[in-house]
Amino acid sequence: MKTIIEKYGHRRVTVVEGGITRHRSIFNGLKVFAEKEFSSHLLQKPEVVIIHDAVRPFVEEDIVSKVVMAAKEHGAAGAIRPLVSTVIASAADGCLDHSLERARYRASEMPQAFLFDIIYEAYQQCTDYDLDYGTECLHLALKYCKTNAKLVEGTTDLWKVTYKRDLYAAESIIKDNLSQRVCVITKGKESLAQVGFLLPESLKNQIKVEAISVSPSKNDSHLQNIISGQCYNFVCVNDKRCAIQEIQELVDMLEKSNTPLLYPVVLISVHLDISENNSFSIGMEDITTIKKFARETKKKNILVYGLLIQYKDPLLLQETVNSAAALIMALIKDRNPELIGQLLVA
Amino acid sequence: MKTIIEKYGHRRVTVVEGGITRHRSIFNGLKVFAEKEFSSHLLQKPEVVIIHDAVRPFVEEDIVSKVVMAAKEHGAAGAIRPLVSTVIASAADGCLDHSLERARYRASEMPQAFLFDIIYEAYQQCTDYDLDYGTECLHLALKYCKTNAKLVEGTTDLWKVTYKRDLYAAESIIKDNLSQRVCVITKGKESLAQVGFLLPESLKNQIKVEAISVSPSKNDSHLQNIISGQCYNFVCVNDKRCAIQEIQELVDMLEKSNTPLLYPVVLISVHLDISENNSFSIGMEDITTIKKFARETKKKNILVYGLLIQYKDPLLLQETVNSAAALIMALIKDRNPELIGQLLVA
Ligand SMILES: [Mg+2]
Ligand SMILES: [Mg+2]
């Protein structure tokens, strides 16, 4: 935990030791504000505290602000969701006793927010039994402070990452979020102009595209803006077989921007082959060079792939470009670290 | 629906028109057994009926048989799961009224099973309100037939594929299930013996491997057995650059087996390059040939990929083989249809 805070440079975070149950951990967190003396004014007693579960990583700012506003008015507030299954009570013999009318009930989710004085009071008053077997903070506020929490309808994003399948889902959602934008950089050479135009057009059907037709250089403020705007996908179109130098410049810019710190960046080097030689071939040295380079940049959380577009028959160019766009989308969506340094052919 | 039944050759399935609510659909299904005259004895009135949701595709045989046995004894039975969130009741003003003690309640899931006479009786007696607004079959059996269903603890597999994230999770689970076994086929040439041994060894750390060191031919009963045993991953090691013919034989066997009907089969053609020529290169004709071939076999739901292992320095062979194994695992796990026909290099 402390390593994570350091790595990402968080300044307003204090880690508090957890307890053996959920309620004891939350109580430990609250005590920090009430009992200890802190030099930093950032840890003074707050008006409202938010309680959230780390296993609900996709929480939106909107619901957080809604529960905070509701807590200011009502003393307590929490996100709710419709029940997905009927809730039933079982008898002692393991048979159905009765089922609840689904429409009357809701699932209590997180985040929840409280006036600090209310939730701290509730935790101070509650019993060891509450602390050891309870899980619901809204219940404590009701029981010990007579505070009926305001219930705020939340979105499906609040789901708990609980099972292995949820990890799969979380990974796919993150990859999906990272695959919304791509920046296509074309070197301003005439031979590339056609592909530099057709490729972004073909990609636009599937992803938001920002096309730049200059060379990446340290003075390019447009590219610099895109990078700081947290774009996680870059396509460099060039006519060299092995454009390590061009890509290196982009890698340097990305590294400086801290973008790859949070999520892996995909960087696809597209080589346009305009030789009219039919017996064209890929030399093993080129392949080895790209692989070595990709292995190095992977350490910086930048995933480099190579893609070759053959420009033989002008009539087939559109088809080849579409096939290149499909490969680019597959590489962006998968972000597969095992395939780095490979040279695909469109 | 009828297309699916035809495609997969199901013979004991009758499709019944759904109703405008869940309960009306189930009632329609039950009526088929009770009211109509059927020539086929397969549709005679059953002792027990099972009700299940198509959105719970990962149901295991075990729980189905448990609810059936329990229904025979108790008249009704259903799968249950622990509650994942606290269930709360809200007051008219949108504030918390009370929360339920989580341990006393369960979520009612599917499958459920009933003695036919009980559930049919319940549906015949129930009101239009039940049919339009109810969802819980166990509740109907209790209310109209005084049958307290036996509750059977189910596994996490019973989850409902509800949101987009669940589709992601379902896809990953299916791909995971398909990535448990690989068959490595090596042609019996001496030059391949070392890789034919090292590659399965390296793969064994990540997947169950069945290694065969003969040529795939129509008379190979061992390979035939593996194919009929629903193996979805094949690696063919050969020393030809473009071993289309060898792969074609395997494709034919797979096609005859019906294996690719249900899920895509991954077929990786591994080419071992033992030329001592340092200026080795990949000809574009080979690449074009593999791509064309892969596009054809994709129509048969067989995904063909190429993988080149360079055998230059014997000291580096183990490392190269490990890298090949990592690429093979990535291709098997992803099953990416966009990358078919590509030639990767280990
Ligand atoms: Mg979200
Ligand atoms: Mg299962």
Side-chain angles (χ1 to χ4, degrees):
Chain A
M1 202 67 197
K2 282 180 175 158
T3 321
I4 292 173
I5 290 165
E6 211 160 282
K7 183 177 171 195
Y8 297 105
H10 294 301
R11 305 239 172 283
R12 302 184 56 179
V13 174
T14 300
V15 179
V16 178
E17 212 172 310
I20 52 164
T21 64
R22 174 185 164 83
H23 271 337
R24 289 190 187 276
S25 296
I26 296 170
F27 198 11
N28 285 357
L30 294 171
K31 280 176 188 165
V32 167
F33 295 110
E35 297 182 354
K36 284 197 190 158
E37 301 264 316
F38 285 94
S39 50
S40 158
H41 69 102
L42 293 172
L43 277 170
Q44 278 173 0
K45 199 190 81 170
E47 185 193 355
V48 173
V49 285
I50 302 162
I51 301 176
H52 192 63
D53 300 324
V55 290
R56 303 180 195 259
F58 298 105
V59 58
E60 299 278 354
E61 206 178 317
D62 180 56
I63 185 76
V64 175
S65 109
K66 276 181 185 162
V67 293
V68 167
M69 298 313 285
K72 281 193 183 180
E73 197 185 326
H74 294 83
I80 53 167
R81 289 282 302 155
L83 293 177
V84 286
S85 308
T86 303
V87 174
I88 57 177
S90 60
D93 62 352
C95 284
L96 174 66
D97 188 69
H98 65 276
S99 60
L100 301 183
E101 205 185 315
R102 218 201 268 190
R104 283 201 52 220
Y105 293 88
R106 292 284 181 281
S108 171
E109 312 283 348
M110 288 281 156
Q112 295 175 351
F114 301 87
L115 289 177
F116 179 83
D117 291 333
I118 285 182
I119 193 67
Y120 189 58
E121 176 71 22
Y123 271 100
Q124 278 181 307
Q125 292 198 20
C126 74
T127 64
D128 275 349
Y129 185 87
D130 286 326
L131 289 174
D132 288 335
Y133 298 100
T135 53
E136 181 55 67
C137 304
L138 299 183
H139 175 70
L140 296 184
L142 178 62
K143 187 170 168 192
Y144 294 106
C145 298
K146 310 275 173 287
T147 302
N148 290 72
K150 180 70 183 175
L151 305 175
V152 181
E153 205 68 52
T155 64
T156 167
D157 293 329
L158 297 177
W159 115 98
K160 259 179 176 171
V161 180
T162 312
Y163 301 106
K164 193 178 179 188
R165 66 165 188 265
D166 296 315
L167 283 176
Y168 288 140
E171 188 183 336
S172 296
I173 289 170
I174 292 168
K175 283 183 175 174
D176 227 29
N177 290 342
L178 294 177
S179 308
Q180 302 300 313
R181 272 172 78 198
V182 63
C183 174
V184 181
I185 303 159
T186 313
K187 287 198 67 171
K189 283 193 190 167
E190 234 173 273
S191 58
L192 297 171
Q194 210 179 353
V195 167
F197 171 77
L198 289 177
L199 187 59
E201 285 304 308
S202 183
L203 283 167
K204 269 176 194 164
N205 301 322
Q206 302 164 76
I207 190 170
K208 194 179 164 220
V209 180
E210 284 164 288
I212 300 182
S213 66
V214 289
S215 144
S217 83
K218 276 145 204 165
N219 297 320
D220 187 334
S221 63
H222 187 185
L223 179 58
Q224 196 68 62
N225 284 344
I226 291 171
I227 290 175
S228 0
Q230 294 192 307
C231 182
Y232 285 94
N233 309 291
F234 295 87
V235 173
C236 292
V237 185
N238 55 67
D239 58 2
K240 281 189 201 164
R241 190 72 67 75
C242 195
I244 298 299
Q245 207 183 318
E246 281 80 354
I247 308 173
Q248 182 65 57
E249 285 175 18
L250 187 54
V251 166
D252 292 341
M253 289 174 81
L254 282 164
E255 218 185 334
K256 272 189 204 134
S257 75
N258 279 338
T259 303
L261 195 60
L262 213 48
Y263 299 109
V265 173
V266 165
L267 177 42
I268 303 169
S269 176
V270 175
H271 312 261
L272 181 65
D273 180 56
I274 49 172
S275 70
E276 281 161 37
N277 191 347
N278 255 327
S279 65
F280 171 82
S281 67
I282 304 168
M284 203 46 83
E285 280 162 60
D286 287 352
I287 289 179
T288 311
T289 310
I290 299 177
K291 280 177 74 176
K292 270 191 190 155
F293 180 78
R295 240 176 262 146
E296 283 309 307
T297 54
K298 190 189 168 187
K299 295 173 188 162
K300 301 166 182 165
N301 215 14
I302 300 172
L303 308 176
V304 172
Y305 309 91
L307 174 59
L308 191 75
I309 296 183
Q310 292 179 82
Y311 184 25
K312 276 195 295 196
D313 184 347
L315 292 174
L316 294 175
L317 183 60
Q318 182 66 58
E319 197 184 310
T320 310
V321 166
N322 289 345
S323 149
L327 287 167
I328 289 170
M329 286 310 298
L331 291 172
I332 287 176
K333 284 185 180 168
D334 271 5
R335 261 159 231 275
N336 197 322
E338 297 296 345
L339 299 185
I340 58 156
Q342 295 293 331
L343 184 58
L344 306 184
V345 178
Chain B
M1 202 68 195
K2 282 182 176 156
T3 321
I4 292 172
I5 290 166
E6 212 160 283
K7 183 176 171 195
Y8 297 106
H10 294 300
R11 305 239 173 281
R12 301 184 55 180
V13 174
T14 300
V15 179
V16 177
E17 212 173 308
I20 52 165
T21 64
R22 175 185 163 83
H23 271 336
R24 288 190 187 275
S25 297
I26 295 171
F27 197 12
N28 285 358
L30 294 171
K31 280 177 189 165
V32 168
F33 295 109
E35 297 182 354
K36 285 196 190 161
E37 301 263 318
F38 285 94
S39 50
S40 159
H41 69 102
L42 292 171
L43 277 169
Q44 277 172 359
K45 201 190 80 172
E47 183 191 357
V48 173
V49 286
I50 302 163
I51 301 175
H52 192 64
D53 299 324
V55 289
R56 305 179 194 259
F58 298 105
V59 59
E60 298 277 354
E61 207 178 315
D62 180 56
I63 185 76
V64 175
S65 107
K66 276 182 185 161
V67 292
V68 167
M69 297 312 286
K72 281 193 183 180
E73 197 186 327
H74 294 83
I80 53 167
R81 290 281 303 153
L83 293 177
V84 285
S85 309
T86 303
V87 174
I88 58 177
S90 60
D93 62 352
C95 285
L96 175 66
D97 187 70
H98 65 276
S99 59
L100 302 183
E101 205 184 315
R102 220 201 268 191
R104 284 201 51 218
Y105 293 89
R106 292 284 181 281
S108 171
E109 311 283 348
M110 288 281 155
Q112 295 176 350
F114 301 87
L115 289 177
F116 180 82
D117 292 335
I118 285 182
I119 192 67
Y120 189 59
E121 175 70 23
Y123 271 100
Q124 278 182 306
Q125 292 200 17
C126 75
T127 64
D128 275 349
Y129 186 88
D130 286 325
L131 289 174
D132 287 337
Y133 297 100
T135 54
E136 181 54 69
C137 305
L138 300 183
H139 174 70
L140 296 185
L142 177 62
K143 188 169 166 193
Y144 294 106
C145 299
K146 308 275 174 284
T147 302
N148 291 72
K150 179 70 182 177
L151 305 176
V152 182
E153 205 69 52
T155 65
T156 166
D157 292 329
L158 296 178
W159 115 98
K160 257 179 177 171
V161 179
T162 312
Y163 301 107
K164 192 178 178 186
R165 65 165 187 266
D166 296 316
L167 282 176
Y168 288 140
E171 188 183 338
S172 296
I173 289 170
I174 292 169
K175 284 182 175 174
D176 228 29
N177 290 343
L178 295 177
S179 309
Q180 302 300 312
R181 273 172 78 196
V182 63
C183 174
V184 180
I185 303 159
T186 314
K187 286 198 67 171
K189 283 195 191 166
E190 237 174 88
S191 58
L192 296 171
Q194 210 179 352
V195 167
F197 171 76
L198 288 176
L199 187 59
E201 284 304 309
S202 182
L203 283 167
K204 270 176 192 164
N205 301 322
Q206 303 163 76
I207 190 171
K208 195 177 165 224
V209 180
E210 284 165 288
I212 301 183
S213 66
V214 288
S215 144
S217 81
K218 277 146 205 164
N219 297 321
D220 187 333
S221 63
H222 187 183
L223 179 58
Q224 196 67 62
N225 283 344
I226 291 171
I227 290 175
S228 0
Q230 293 193 309
C231 181
Y232 285 94
N233 309 290
F234 295 86
V235 173
C236 293
V237 186
N238 53 67
D239 58 1
K240 281 191 201 163
R241 191 72 69 73
C242 196
I244 297 299
Q245 207 185 318
E246 280 81 354
I247 307 171
Q248 183 65 58
E249 285 174 18
L250 187 53
V251 166
D252 292 340
M253 288 174 82
L254 282 164
E255 218 184 336
K256 272 189 207 136
S257 76
N258 278 339
T259 304
L261 195 61
L262 212 47
Y263 299 110
V265 173
V266 165
L267 175 43
I268 303 169
S269 176
V270 175
H271 312 261
L272 181 66
D273 179 54
I274 50 173
S275 70
E276 280 161 36
N277 190 347
N278 256 327
S279 64
F280 170 83
S281 67
I282 304 168
M284 203 45 84
E285 279 163 59
D286 286 353
I287 290 180
T288 310
T289 310
I290 299 175
K291 280 177 71 177
K292 269 190 193 159
F293 181 77
R295 239 175 263 146
E296 283 308 307
T297 55
K298 190 188 168 189
K299 294 174 189 162
K300 301 166 183 165
N301 215 14
I302 300 172
L303 308 175
V304 172
Y305 309 91
L307 174 59
L308 191 74
I309 297 183
Q310 291 179 83
Y311 183 25
K312 275 195 296 195
D313 184 348
L315 291 173
L316 293 176
L317 183 60
Q318 181 66 58
E319 198 183 309
T320 311
V321 165
N322 289 346
S323 149
L327 287 168
I328 289 169
M329 286 310 299
L331 291 172
I332 287 176
K333 283 183 180 167
D334 272 4
R335 258 159 233 275
N336 196 321
E338 296 295 345
L339 299 184
I340 57 157
Q342 296 292 331
L343 184 58
L344 306 184
V345 179

